[in-house]
Amino acid sequence: AQRVTQPEKLLSVFKGAPVELKCNYSYSGSPELFWYVQYSRQRLQLLLRHISRESIKGFTADLNKGETSFHLKKPFAQEEDSAMYYCALSPAYSGAGSYQLTFGKGTKLSVIP
Amino acid sequence: DTGVSQDPRHKITKRGQNVTFRCDPISEHNRLYWYRQTLGQGPEFLTYFQNEAQLEKSRLLSDRFSAERPKGSFSTLEIQRTEQGDSAMYLCASSLSKGDTQYFGPGTRLTVL
């Protein structure tokens, strides 16, 4: 069984400060990791995924298999980054049990002007 | 708007009534997912369709829940004999393939009185 843990329910940072949203996972196989974001009154949308190794809106995340972590980072927070962030995991194999995303409980990021 | 759409957006019902929700995925997506999200939690997987075949069901999907995707396009989720514990946001997502991004709809918020 897979599990995703986001230890912080709420994270408040000042504009221009660095941001790190923590995500730890538990999964015995090879995972695919994602960060989804939900801005106020908008639908859940993909922010980034580890296999693409992209930087989206200044955010990056590195998969650390040794620490089973996939923390989301941004060097300088902007007010428009205020949102709910969810870390999610999907098994990398194809087959039974592999199609679902397992989400963490989410971290609400509040960027203080 | 060519994104995932869901109808209705809100549903208030009395305990014991049946409710049905509809999801229209992105047109070329053959994979469709239902999730449930309760307050303070991340989305939890309910079921998955590949075309019209329901290939995976979560243990969360009790026998009061049934989902269909009769022609491999839109999907319906029915809850029979609703209970107060069914109050949640029901999210639909679609994707092109297993490894592809899941695109989420706006959700249907169910309140059971």
Side-chain angles (χ1 to χ4, degrees), chain B residues 30-113:
Chain B
N30 58 10
R31 294 165 191 252
L32 187 146
Y33 315 79
W34 284 98
Y35 292 84
R36 181 175 71 183
Q37 186 174 20
T38 53
L39 202 61
Q41 303 293 319
E44 296 172 292
F45 171 79
L46 291 178
T47 191
Y48 159 71
F49 288 86
Q50 185 170 327
N51 298 310
E52 65 276 8
Q54 188 175 18
L55 296 186
E56 213 162 293
K57 290 197 291 186
S58 161
R59 286 171 297 176
L60 291 176
L61 213 66
S62 76
D63 56 6
R64 297 184 298 106
F65 287 69
S66 63
E68 293 183 342
R69 194 182 182 198
K71 296 182 180 178
S73 56
F74 73 91
S75 174
T76 58
L77 178 67
E78 181 183 15
I79 309 174
Q80 296 182 326
R81 305 180 304 280
T82 52
E83 302 173 356
Q84 287 185 324
D86 297 330
S87 295
M89 177 73 87
Y90 289 84
L91 297 168
C92 177
S94 70
S95 72
L96 194 54
S97 66
K98 191 263 181 217
D100 196 26
T101 300
Q102 291 188 26
Y103 293 87
F104 281 81
T108 295
R109 181 169 294 283
L110 172 66
T111 302
V112 181
L113 301 175

Side-chain angles (χ1 to χ4, degrees), chain A residues 6-69:
Chain A
Q6 294 179 251
E8 303 136 329
K9 288 182 72 172
L10 174 65
L11 182 65
S12 297
V13 300
F14 285 100
K15 178 182 173 181
V19 176
E20 183 178 47
L21 299 169
K22 290 183 166 52
C23 171
N24 289 90
Y25 67 90
S26 172
Y27 179 61
S28 56
S30 183
E32 291 188 31
L33 273 297
F34 307 82
W35 276 99
Y36 276 80
V37 61
Q38 188 166 28
Y39 300 103
S40 180
R41 293 197 171 91
Q42 293 187 26
R43 64 186 66 190
L44 200 58
Q45 58 186 286
L46 180 69
L47 179 62
L48 56 80
R49 55 194 302 173
H50 87 274
I51 61 171
S52 63
R53 304 186 69 82
E54 292 176 301
S55 172
I56 307 294
K57 299 185 179 183
F59 284 98
T60 59
D62 289 317
L63 178 59
N64 186 324
K65 291 187 177 181
E67 296 183 358
T68 59
S69 68

